């Protein structure tokens, strides 16, 4: 049994979608970051960077923060969604790291400046929107030649998809990125993704272009 500490955000949904895809038994514990629950001392013991998601695996005693590390752990625990070794494993890790260093931080800045603080910092809005469009372009090019970012559906897709699901917040027209749109819709229709998206609670339907 895995305890998942999470909230209704892209980083949190990565972990719940992976748990659903892998069929691992888990208990979801809401950490309302709007109420600063991520700063509670008990949570900081497992997530010292005061961010969700975090997990505790009751069977192994292992606890982890950082969604990328959590995805690798869950995949290795089951032998699925991440090849065990060889070039294909590193290809998945390559695109997982791309998400952790690119769409995660930069689309997060778009949410901050463009959705929540529009007009306060035009330079930041322009800078982060340009970077968002560049990242969507990179993903679109990658998906022009393959069904999923690392050929087979993997934790790399699971890491990227929840960030793309906020395309409306990012003022991104998915029609401008047809390969991303095709990939996004295909993943959105997976039953495990539908279930994982609504953890720890349902706030809206999955946006559909
Ligand atoms: N690099 C971290 C980022 C996690 C993250 O930014 N979590 C946000 C929600 S999406 C959070 O918990 N924010 C609360 C805070 O910063 O105090 C990961 O991928 O797990």
């Amino acid at each position: 049994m895995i305890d998942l500490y999470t909230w209704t955000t892209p980083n949190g949904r990565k972990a719940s979608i992976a748990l659903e895809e892998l069929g691992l038994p888990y208990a979801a514990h809401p950490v309302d970051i709007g109420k600063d629950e991520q700063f509670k001392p008990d949570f900081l013991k497992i997530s010292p960077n005061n961010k969700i998601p975090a997990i505790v695996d009751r069977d192994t005693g292992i606890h982890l923060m950082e969604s990328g590390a959590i995805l690798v752990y869950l995949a290795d625990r089951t032998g699925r969604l991440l090849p065990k070794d060889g070039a294909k494993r590193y290809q998945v890790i390559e695109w997982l790291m791309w998400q952790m260093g690119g769409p995660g931080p930069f689309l997060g800045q778009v949410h901050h400046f463009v959705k929540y603080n529009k007009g306060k910092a035009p330079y930041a809005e322009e800078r982060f929107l340009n970077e968002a469009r560049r990242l969507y372009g990179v993903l679109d090019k990658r998906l022009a030649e393959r069904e999923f970012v690392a050929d087979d559906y993997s934790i790399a897709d699971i890491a990227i998809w929840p960030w793309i699901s906020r395309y409306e917040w990012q003022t991104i027209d998915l029609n401008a990125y047809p390969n991303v749109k095709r990939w996004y819709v295909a993943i959105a229709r997976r039953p495990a993704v539908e279930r994982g998206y609504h953890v720890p609670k349902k706030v809206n339907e999955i946006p559909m272009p």
Side-chain angles (χ1 to χ4, degrees), residues 109-139:
Q109 295 301 327
V110 173
H111 297 172
H112 179 82
F113 287 106
V114 177
K115 176 159 173 73
Y116 286 113
N117 291 285
K118 195 148 188 56
K120 284 191 198 162
Y123 174 76
E125 284 181 43
E126 186 192 342
R127 174 172 162 78
F128 293 122
L129 270 175
N130 281 342
E131 180 61 2
R133 292 187 196 109
R134 190 190 69 78
L135 290 163
Y136 270 81
V138 170
L139 184 58

Side-chain angles (χ1 to χ4, degrees), residues 41-154:
D42 278 352
F43 181 66
L44 291 174
K45 280 184 201 153
I46 55 166
S47 187
N49 196 37
N50 63 265
K51 291 184 194 290
I52 60 93
I55 59 164
V56 179
D57 187 333
R58 293 187 205 169
D59 301 327
T60 61
I62 289 175
H63 58 81
L64 290 170
M65 61 171 188
E66 284 295 328
S67 60
I70 291 169
L71 292 177
V72 171
Y73 177 76
L74 297 176
D76 279 346
R77 185 110 163 67
T78 51
R80 290 175 50 213
L81 298 176
L82 172 64
K84 196 167 161 290
D85 48 33
K88 283 194 170 292
R89 179 179 178 88
Y90 296 107
Q91 206 177 37
V92 172
I93 290 177
E94 178 184 42
W95 284 89
L96 175 65
M97 293 302 151
W98 177 79
Q99 187 287 313
M100 298 300 294
F106 286 98
L107 298 182
Q109 295 301 327
V110 173
H111 297 172
H112 179 82
F113 287 106
V114 177
K115 176 159 173 73
Y116 286 113
N117 291 285
K118 195 148 188 56
K120 284 191 198 162
Y123 174 76
E125 284 181 43
E126 186 192 342
R127 174 172 162 78
F128 293 122
L129 270 175
N130 281 342
E131 180 61 2
R133 292 187 196 109
R134 190 190 69 78
L135 290 163
Y136 270 81
V138 170
L139 184 58
D140 201 61
K141 198 167 162 206
R142 178 77 183 168
L143 290 168
E145 291 153 19
R146 44 184 67 71
E147 193 176 358
F148 298 106
V149 289
D151 296 325
D152 295 329
Y153 183 60
S154 72

